[in-house]
Amino acid sequence: MSFTLPIGASAPDFSLPGTDGKTYALKDFADAKVLVVFFTCNHCPFVIGSNEVTRETADRFRDQGVRFVGINSNSVKTKPEDSFEKMVEEMENHKFPWTYLRDESQQTALAYGALRTPHFYVFDEERKLVYTGRAIDNPRESAKSTVNDLDRALEEIVSGKPVSVPVTNPIGCNVKWEGQDAHWMPADACDLV
């Protein structure tokens, strides 16, 4: 059974440092009509393969009041390249159009039930969950992707329609939990790179 946040649940609050030197809580995004919280990282090939598609989606919906918040909860003991310093470098190098936060304690990932990187959660104006899962059907090789579930969900929300497919399976690497070594988790592409 999955422990991820169910549709209709309220967005769990957080207080996390951002790569821009500020600390952010849920209330800091109160001006967003729609809030996309997604669990991501620096190293995962599924994240790297789909970051530019996520950028396009964030850019496309920005004027319609949609804000994106990326959260990196991976243990640096498992993946040193997911350190806060590397996150700052990542944002300096790529200038992604989202706020990038570090969840060192992993409490935020636990509260949301983050399963993979990337894993998207879309909240409406009341901060109720209306979509969770993947963005595209082939995040590792986005050029081969044929479905963009995140785009479709956002299109429906900003048009005032219910989300037609509110839950999909996130595709990506397992979140790297503190104190859990690789053989505890099902093998995936990220454990091999």
Side-chain angles (χ1 to χ4, degrees):
M1 186 174 106
S2 163
F3 64 95
T4 199
L5 213 57
I7 294 299
S10 296
D13 202 358
F14 49 79
S15 178
L16 300 172
T19 54
D20 60 1
K22 300 177 191 166
T23 298
Y24 289 88
L26 205 55
K27 68 177 177 359
D28 294 311
F29 305 97
D31 62 332
K33 285 188 184 151
V34 178
L35 185 64
V36 180
V37 174
F38 67 108
F39 289 82
T40 185
C41 64
N42 300 332
H43 84 277
C44 171
F46 295 89
V47 169
I48 294 165
S50 60
N51 267 337
E52 289 307 316
V53 177
T54 305
R55 180 200 299 274
E56 285 168 22
T57 300
D59 284 341
R60 189 149 76 83
F61 288 96
R62 182 189 293 118
D63 290 346
Q64 295 168 78
V66 179
R67 296 271 306 273
F68 277 65
V69 179
I71 300 176
N72 179 359
S73 302
N74 277 353
S75 166
V76 291
K77 288 180 184 159
T78 311
K79 290 289 176 187
E81 57 270 51
D82 280 330
S83 71
F84 186 74
E85 294 71 30
K86 296 280 188 196
M87 289 170 59
V88 171
E89 280 176 32
E90 189 78 355
M91 289 302 275
E92 283 171 358
N93 291 339
H94 297 286
K95 310 273 190 286
F96 291 125
W98 51 77
T99 304
Y100 196 15
L101 307 178
R102 177 72 182 138
D103 175 26
E104 191 77 38
S105 73
Q106 302 189 314
Q107 289 308 302
T108 303
L110 286 169
Y112 280 76
L115 301 172
R116 298 194 174 272
T117 54
H119 188 171
F120 294 83
Y121 296 81
V122 180
F123 297 94
D124 65 13
E125 206 156 5
E126 277 136 39
R127 297 302 176 256
K128 300 290 185 200
L129 186 67
V130 292
Y131 174 79
T132 183
R134 68 190 187 187
I136 55 176
D137 61 343
N138 193 340
R140 190 166 185 156
E141 297 178 89
S142 59
K144 295 181 181 176
S145 177
T146 58
V147 177
N148 191 323
D149 291 287
L150 180 62
D151 259 19
R152 183 186 56 232
L154 290 173
E155 198 64 65
E156 290 168 343
I157 295 160
V158 299
S159 303
K161 298 174 186 160
V163 176
S164 55
V165 183
V167 179
T168 59
N169 285 324
I171 301 169
C173 299
N174 297 306
V175 171
K176 305 299 182 247
W177 299 104
E178 192 75 31
Q180 304 287 357
D181 54 26
H183 66 257
W184 169 81
M185 298 175 276
D188 67 29
C190 289
D191 296 326
L192 307 174
V193 293

